[in-house]
Amino acid sequence: MILEKIANYTRKRVQEDKKIVSLEEVVNKANLLPEGDFKFEQTLKKNKVSIICEVKKASPSKGIISEDFPFVQIAREYENAGADCISVLTEPKWFLGSDEIFKEIRKNVNLPMLRKDFTIDEYQIYQSKLLGADAVLLICSLLDTKTLKKYISICDSLGLSTLVEAHNIGEINSAIDAGARIIGVNNRNLKDFTVDLSNSINLRKSIPNDILFVAESGILNVNDAISLIRSGADALLIGEAMMHASDKKAFIREIKQGGALNED
């Protein structure tokens, strides 16, 4: 299973990182920084529908998405086009991301940024704070309820938001029990990488309205986006379609207009 392979590789990455900078040192450095202001979730709260645009070079299901990958330019285009937040992949083997990519984008955009990686160790949370992240991804498939709760608490102490990702009702319940304030439903099954938009639509009904709901993956066009907004999504995380959009501003505008019309 690809998720297990990624998680195992991530464990090795973290062990190598700890040899360079220890957990104690990362914790101390992170705690010296000003406490965050939960900018990511505050942004999602204030909009009728928020668009989280993703910067990624590749994925296990699609291979290379952007050959030349001018990542700073892409992030700036997102910001100029009206994106509400930016998600940046830092997983290096399957998504060809890196911490350096994240740091360079952080220097060049003012939007809230999600560090999208496969969090399997609290070390990565403190690392994310040092990178300048406003939010981290926690995947229920990788973390039990007790660990989710612990990691959310660490994030809260640093002023970081958490996007807690679920794929089925059991994981939704785990996220709720752990105290998640933002739950994302991935329409891509991380076991076989099939995509089904109805996953978000069906699971939305099981998430309390006071928890922000993000529909993730498989959003190929404006109609896909509007159907998810109609089902009650507070935000959409769009990757490949946004990367390929020739007119990103028009794409975002059409989605937001469609969402506003749906609410009228």
Side-chain angles (χ1 to χ4, degrees), residues 2 26 92 116 145 197 222 236 240 252 257:
I2 186 66
V26 165
K116 198 172 185 191
T145 306
L197 288 184
V222 173
L236 307 175
E240 187 183 348
I252 291 173
Q257 286 176 345

Side-chain angles (χ1 to χ4, degrees), residues 161-217:
S161 301
T162 52
L163 173 58
V164 182
E165 182 176 291
H167 302 84
N168 55 51
I169 188 63
E171 292 179 358
I172 291 288
N173 291 334
S174 177
I176 293 169
D177 290 344
R181 298 188 298 275
I182 311 171
I183 294 179
V185 170
N186 198 333
N187 297 308
R188 178 170 285 111
N189 186 317
L190 291 183
K191 295 179 180 177
D192 59 17
F193 278 82
T194 56
V195 174
D196 183 2
L197 288 184
S198 67
N199 200 39
S200 280
I201 295 168
N202 293 333
L203 290 175
R204 178 66 183 100
K205 302 161 191 171
S206 302
I207 300 172
N209 288 329
D210 61 343
I211 295 176
L212 290 163
F213 172 64
V214 182
E216 308 173 32
S217 298

Side-chain angles (χ1 to χ4, degrees), residues 200-202 204-205 213 215 226-233 262:
S200 280
I201 295 168
N202 293 333
R204 178 66 183 100
K205 302 161 191 171
F213 172 64
I226 292 172
S227 70
L228 291 167
I229 295 168
R230 187 175 294 128
S231 75
N262 176 61

